[in-house]
Amino acid sequence: MTGEMESGSDRFENSAGCPACGSVRIAPWRKGTIDAASLRPESVRITDSAYGRTWDLARCRDCGHVFADPCPAPEFIGSLYGGVEDPLYDEETEGREKNFLQVLARLETILTDKGRLFDVGAATGILMNLARGRGWDVDGADPSAWAAATAGAKYGLAVREGLFETLALDPESVDAVTMVDFIEHTARPFDAVQKAAEILKPGGVLCLVTPSLRSVAARLAGRKWWHYRPAHLAYFTRRSLDALLGRAGFTVVRRRSYSWTFSAHYLASRKKVSRFLVRNARLAGLLKQIPVKLVLGDSFEIYARKERPR
Ligand SMILES: [Zn+2]
C-alpha cells in the first residue's frame, strides 16, 4: 500500500480473494490512475466522461475477473453515491426507456406472471416507472438522495435511499430483481447477488446487465474503453459472472449481449468539442429527438433463476 492509502486506510480494503469466484489465486493486473484524495461525488456519476481511469486492478487466475484491489470500502463508496446529482442522466430518460423496455420485455418472456419487481440502483426511477406501467408491483433502492427525490417528484415512486446490500427487506418477497449497470459499482458483488437471492421467491429471476471485459469493444478501445472509470470497481468475464451467480444459488436461463440506445444530443454532449452545440437550446432540442443505437454490444445481459429447493 502507498502512504496515501495508509492515511485513509479505513476507506480501502485489501481483497482476501476473488470477489466473484472466491479463489485466492489473484495477481496484480494494472496499476491505477485515480487519485483517491481528489474523488468527489461527480467522479461516480452515471454520465461521468473521465474514461480510461481505473483503481489499482487485480485479476483472478481462475475466472479472469478483474477488480479494484485495494477496493474502496462500501461505506466510502456509499458516501460518494449519497451525494451524487446527475441531471444529464435524467435528461436522457427517453433513450434509457428504450433500453429498459427491451429488458422488461425479455424478462416477461421468462416470468410470464408479473408480480413484484425490485430494481437495484434504481437511479431516478425510469425502469421502475416503466415496469409499473406494464403491470408490475414495483420497489427499488438507490444510495443517491437526489435520485430518490427525483423519482418521487417525477413519478410518485418511493425509491428506498441506501445501499441495497444492507437494507432491511423481507425474504422471499419478490418475483424479479433487476440490476442494470449496478454490480460493477459495488465493492462486494457477492453480497449484492446473495441479497437478491434472499429477497427472491424460489423460482424468481435476477436480470443483470454489466460491461464485458473481453468484448470486442473493450479490446478495440484498450485503455480508453469507456467503462474504465472511477465508478467501476469490477470488470466481469463470462466465467466470473457465472461463478458469482452460481455461488449465490442462481442458474443462468438466458444470456445475450447488450447494446445501448442514446440520443444524438447525449453523444454530442460527451465530447468537449461539441459542447457549443449543446449550449444552443434550439439545436439541442432537435438533437434530443434523434435516437442513436450504439451497437457496441459490450455488456452482458443475463437472466438467472433462483433455484427451487429440491
Ligand atoms: Zn475468480
Side-chain angles (χ1 to χ4, degrees):
M1 275 187 128
T2 66
E4 178 196 305
M5 294 216 169
E6 269 160 19
S7 66
S9 58
D10 54 326
R11 296 159 73 197
F12 290 86
E13 296 172 340
N14 284 302
S15 76
C18 171
C21 78
S23 166
V24 292
R25 298 195 334 119
I26 55 177
W29 190 66
R30 181 179 293 176
K31 190 78 194 140
T33 50
I34 294 169
D35 170 19
S38 71
L39 274 187
R40 300 286 176 273
E42 300 87 79
S43 313
V44 295
R45 273 200 297 233
I46 302 165
T47 57
D48 161 56
S49 57
Y51 307 151
R53 292 166 63 209
T54 64
W55 302 95
D56 284 350
L57 297 174
R59 183 177 175 276
C60 172
R61 291 181 199 271
D62 286 312
C63 74
H65 189 57
V66 166
F67 54 97
D69 188 17
C71 188
E75 298 72 26
F76 173 36
I77 285 296
S79 71
L80 284 177
Y81 279 104
V84 163
E85 295 188 16
D86 196 354
L88 182 57
Y89 175 85
D90 205 48
E91 278 177 28
E92 268 307 295
T93 298
E94 269 181 65
R96 292 186 195 275
E97 282 181 340
K98 288 194 180 75
N99 297 310
F100 295 153
L101 277 172
Q102 291 174 7
V103 165
L104 289 169
R106 282 190 281 272
L107 176 65
E108 289 160 12
T109 65
I110 299 165
L111 273 180
T112 47
D113 287 334
K114 291 167 197 160
R116 197 165 175 76
L117 179 147
F118 195 105
D119 189 31
V120 184
T124 54
I126 299 171
L127 188 148
M128 281 171 69
N129 178 53
L130 290 173
R132 182 177 58 185
R134 294 168 74 92
W136 291 90
D137 179 14
V138 295
D139 198 347
D142 198 277
S144 158
W146 168 84
T150 304
K154 263 184 93 173
Y155 307 118
L157 285 168
V159 171
R160 296 168 195 254
E161 199 186 312
L163 289 179
F164 170 66
E165 298 89 316
T166 53
L167 285 175
L169 300 169
D170 291 334
E172 303 198 352
S173 60
V174 306
D175 302 274
V177 172
T178 46
M179 292 183 173
V180 179
D181 283 344
F182 163 80
I183 199 79
E184 66 275 17
H185 297 258
T186 63
R188 295 175 190 159
F190 183 65
D191 288 2
V193 291
Q194 205 175 31
K195 180 78 172 183
E198 184 189 309
I199 66 168
L200 277 169
K201 296 172 189 169
V205 172
L206 167 65
C207 166
L208 195 152
V209 173
T210 190
S212 164
L213 182 65
R214 293 192 186 146
S215 61
V216 174
R219 289 168 201 240
L220 286 177
R223 283 173 188 256
K224 282 284 176 191
W225 188 34
W226 74 309
H227 286 301
Y228 287 136
R229 44 176 140 167
H232 291 177
L233 308 180
Y235 303 92
F236 287 84
T237 64
R238 179 173 167 143
R239 277 183 71 189
S240 74
L241 205 46
D242 283 3
L244 181 79
L245 293 169
R247 281 169 74 208
F250 286 101
T251 304
V252 174
V253 290
R254 185 170 178 190
R255 68 174 84 231
R256 61 193 304 282
S257 71
Y258 185 89
S259 306
W260 282 97
T261 300
F262 294 109
S263 73
H265 168 264
Y266 179 75
L267 293 176
S269 72
R270 295 180 72 83
K271 291 198 174 143
K272 277 179 188 146
V273 284
S274 304
R275 289 237 167 100
F276 73 95
L277 284 176
V278 178
R279 289 199 199 101
N280 181 320
R282 243 183 98 217
L283 191 54
L286 277 173
L287 286 173
K288 274 183 196 171
Q289 292 165 29
I290 310 170
V292 175
K293 178 110 175 171
L294 210 61
V295 192
L296 289 173
D298 68 345
S299 290
F300 295 109
E301 179 180 333
I302 281 189
Y303 300 83
R305 204 181 278 280
K306 177 181 172 179
E307 286 161 12
R308 293 170 201 275
R310 286 165 205 275

